[in-house]
Amino acid sequence: MRVFVTGASGWIGSAVVPELIGAGHQVVGLARSDASADALAAAGAEVHRGSLDDLDALREAAAASDGVIHLAFKHDIAFTGDFQGASDADRRAIDAFGEVLAGSDRPLVIASGTLGLSPGHVATEKDTAAAGSPRAANAEAALGLAVGGVRSSVVRLSPTVHGDGDKGFLASLVSIARDKGVSGYIGDGANRWTAVHRLDAATLFRLAVEKAPAGSVLHGVAEEGVPLRAIAEAIGRHLGLPVVPVAPEDAAGHFTWMADFLALDSPASNTLTRELLGWRPTHPGLIADLDAGHYFDGS
């Protein structure tokens, strides 16, 4: 297959590209900068210059491909307060892909998330996200393309997609612990986060573009729920810091922008995904990955 990948030089995309190439696929990656273009070329991918806002460039690349994996998201503006703007750009890209792929039965795989899907309960692929979430609405729009002849699927990723080089939630927790001099967790720390290794997530995206049926919801979840206290204990152990509870009313002051996320209890299952696609996560779990030490290099 000739697969067009947005976000191809990002944290997950840079693992998806070699996964696809290793399986014999031809990859075309979206690049908005020279650095991204160079990284894609070095990985063996064809470069398609453009950005998430360049809808004509997205349509052109999708039209010339056998399938699309859409990973790009404007995290830069989302994390500075304009999540709606980032979601709107994401929706425009999904709609553009839907226009080009309509009636072709070609695959469109997009990324979403499990965090907050079914608070306090183990969410399954059959659960729907709460109304009002812009990104969840985008996922539903992508799934809706199936009735128009697009083999669309959604991969709901764990909030913790970990691995060497991670600069996301887990790396941010390590940074906060260093700054505060303690490794904290909220309340009793029993609330759970799902987790998946970046390389296992890449395999799932490959399987999805290859064979996920139209309208599939997939869970990029290797571990159903890792207690936040266990994560804090691993960080404290490696940094030589005390592990302490943080009262819920003090969480915003301690964890800043991460506080609301860290307070969620959001476990999720991968049973249906494994049964549907034969996906078998094989890489280290979250605590084992922390214990590998790369999150603490330079400490």
Side-chain angles (χ1 to χ4, degrees):
M1 294 175 66
R2 178 181 170 89
V3 184
F4 177 48
V5 181
T6 73
S9 60
W11 170 236
I12 297 169
S14 59
V16 169
V17 168
E19 173 71 24
L20 289 169
I21 292 173
H25 300 296
Q26 180 184 1
V27 176
V28 181
L30 182 69
R32 63 176 180 174
S33 69
D34 291 341
S36 293
D38 291 344
L40 288 172
E46 181 182 328
V47 175
H48 186 82
R49 295 302 293 257
S51 71
L52 203 56
D53 293 319
D54 188 348
L55 299 182
D56 287 338
L58 300 184
R59 292 187 187 98
E60 178 186 358
S65 299
D66 299 312
V68 176
I69 297 178
H70 175 45
L71 301 173
F73 191 75
K74 291 187 171 185
H75 294 287
D76 52 348
I77 68 171
F79 285 135
T80 56
D82 190 12
F83 190 83
Q84 185 64 57
S87 298
D88 289 345
D90 185 47
R91 177 60 178 270
R92 288 190 292 270
I94 291 169
D95 289 345
F97 292 137
E99 293 170 16
V100 172
L101 299 176
S104 69
D105 198 36
R106 284 180 286 172
L108 168 63
V109 185
I110 76 160
S112 188
T114 64
L115 192 59
L117 183 62
S118 182
H121 301 88
V122 179
T124 77
E125 294 86 340
K126 293 183 178 180
D127 285 309
T128 56
S133 166
R135 203 165 187 193
N138 290 355
E140 289 302 311
L143 294 173
L145 296 172
V147 299
V150 180
R151 185 162 59 83
S152 57
S153 61
V154 173
V155 176
R156 291 174 177 164
L157 288 166
S158 302
T160 307
V161 182
H162 56 89
D164 195 357
D166 176 20
K167 294 180 174 60
F169 279 126
L170 207 54
S172 296
L173 272 179
V174 172
S175 178
I176 290 170
R178 283 198 180 104
D179 290 344
K180 297 293 185 179
V182 297
S183 182
Y185 54 88
I186 299 174
D188 63 3
N191 55 307
R192 298 153 291 177
W193 269 18
T194 60
V196 64
H197 195 282
R198 168 178 174 256
L199 299 180
D200 287 321
T203 300
L204 180 55
F205 277 103
R206 173 180 61 78
L207 291 171
V209 80
E210 288 176 343
K211 60 182 181 179
S216 298
V217 174
L218 309 166
H219 276 186
V221 171
E223 294 178 279
E224 185 175 284
V226 182
L228 266 292
R229 179 167 182 165
I231 297 172
E233 288 170 345
I235 293 172
R237 184 168 64 249
H238 281 274
L239 294 180
L241 296 175
V243 180
V244 301
V246 176
E249 61 268 25
D250 298 328
H254 187 94
F255 294 107
T256 63
W257 64 272
M258 289 190 68
D260 289 342
F261 300 114
L262 291 172
L264 292 172
D265 181 40
S266 193
S269 167
N270 67 12
T271 301
L272 299 180
T273 298
R274 290 165 65 109
E275 291 174 352
L276 183 66
L277 298 182
W279 180 57
R280 298 291 183 269
T282 60
H283 291 87
L286 189 151
I287 300 302
D289 207 14
L290 280 169
D291 286 341
H294 53 80
Y295 277 96
F296 310 98
D297 290 346
S299 62

